[in-house]
Amino acid sequence: MDYQSDLYGTIDGVPVLRHRVVADSFTFSCIDYGCTITEIGAPDSAGDVNNVVLALDTLEDYTSHHYYLGCVVGRSAGRIERAQFTLDDQTVYLPANDGPHHLHGDDFHKAVWTPTVDRSAEYVTIRFERAFPDGHHGYPGHVNVAVTYTIRPCAVTIRHEATTDTATVMNMTNHTYFNLSGTAAPIHDHTLRVASDAFYALDETLIPDHVQRVTDSPAFDFRQSKRIGDGLASDDEQLHIAGGFDHPFRLERTDGPQIQLRHSSGRTLSVQTTDPCVVFYSGNMLPDGQKRTGLCLETQKAPNLIDRDVILRPGETYRTETTWTFTS
């Protein structure tokens, strides 16, 4: 396996590196800014390699966009209602950056992280580390966080870890947008399978409101592979509220991948995770001309602190692991 790094740019005089791994016909690139994944080159059934994630051209593009392309999200992925929550009888107030709500946490995606690289003949591991102080964007606790990408031929494993000195919340995810066609075509002709019999329905402000069985809302039933465009064509009220899919699905525990995304190019993405939920987001809020040209599979705990396992206390370590496997 071949690894190289180069200078991608600087932010306030701080260098930002790009890391690139080549493993046979599979390529992977990421940058120190936001632990952002900028390239996953995967072969199709004819052996042609294309980038299957949405990416931007320059570091300046990444610092100015608002769509979380390819980055780590934390401390808390998703929306927190009214930008506040209660922890140990204390009310914590956060910035309201999405109407009255708080979206996608502590700006992990805007930080320059410190990398270390481990290489062998079988894999390359890129580990990013960063500390965030107590009170950063309102969150309690000084936290030490690590994001690790382990790259093998046609597979990427993402590990998130964190510790704290004061009780806080932690619910991280990766916000890569996939398009297995390797083009800018809409994602409607992808097929998706999700091992989930229930999802969180949203209220009018996109806050998870209640659990709903997929049997009661067939547009959300992906237990068998289904064309995404067919789901988007449904008149389900939940799709009108969110402008498409932007919903947490409760994942079943399985020995194999819980999620599978396919395209007629022959490419398949299989996802296996230790997280209990995935937010399937169909790129509804991407800018004009790019709407629904990529989709996110955000493995995480349920947003809005629904799952109290998001609470991280001193002496504990937050850990999650998600593996993306690409086949053709």
Side-chain angles (χ1 to χ4, degrees), residues 92-304:
V92 176
Y93 297 96
L94 307 171
N97 61 354
D98 186 61
H101 307 312
H102 177 76
L103 176 64
H104 284 336
D106 200 8
D107 278 5
F108 284 8
H109 64 293
K110 293 183 177 180
V112 178
W113 297 62
T114 301
T116 56
V117 179
D118 181 31
R119 303 170 57 185
S120 78
E122 291 78 30
Y123 65 85
V124 173
T125 293
I126 305 164
R127 180 180 174 88
F128 294 104
E129 295 180 280
R130 177 80 188 211
F132 296 86
D134 177 55
H136 196 245
H137 291 106
Y139 286 90
H142 176 103
V143 294
N144 293 303
V145 187
V147 177
T148 303
Y149 299 137
T150 298
I151 303 97
R152 294 180 171 84
C154 293
V156 179
T157 296
I158 303 172
R159 296 181 180 88
H160 295 145
E161 300 172 75
T163 58
T164 184
D165 63 356
T166 303
T168 189
V169 297
M170 192 65 62
N171 185 14
M172 297 171 64
T173 193
N174 178 279
H175 210 276
T176 291
Y177 289 77
F178 295 101
N179 186 323
L180 297 185
S181 75
T183 72
I187 47 88
H188 295 70
D189 61 345
H190 288 62
T191 61
L192 179 66
R193 180 183 64 79
V194 182
S196 173
D197 61 6
F199 70 100
Y200 288 92
L202 308 178
D203 70 13
E204 294 290 339
T205 64
L206 305 184
I207 294 294
D209 186 61
H210 64 276
V211 175
Q212 192 158 312
R213 310 293 292 186
V214 298
T215 50
D216 297 329
S217 196
F220 290 79
D221 190 352
F222 288 96
R223 291 175 298 172
Q224 301 295 323
S225 291
K226 181 169 66 179
R227 186 174 175 272
I228 289 173
D230 293 341
L232 287 168
S234 168
D235 61 358
D236 191 296
E237 179 62 21
Q238 280 292 302
L239 296 175
H240 291 293
I241 287 173
F245 293 101
D246 193 7
H247 295 72
F249 287 74
R250 297 199 311 194
L251 292 173
E252 299 173 5
R253 294 295 183 188
T254 63
D255 292 333
Q258 297 107 316
I259 305 161
Q260 199 163 66
L261 182 69
R262 295 179 182 270
H263 185 261
S264 59
S265 63
R267 295 185 181 98
T268 298
L269 166 62
S270 300
V271 182
Q272 189 162 14
T273 185
T274 60
D275 274 315
C277 284
V278 61
V279 174
F280 167 35
Y281 172 53
S282 54
N284 319 312
M285 299 180 189
L286 287 171
D288 291 344
Q290 299 178 47
K291 183 177 179 180
R292 294 184 182 159
T293 59
L295 64 90
C296 297
L297 299 167
E298 305 164 52
T299 52
Q300 58 177 91
K301 294 179 173 64
N304 199 34

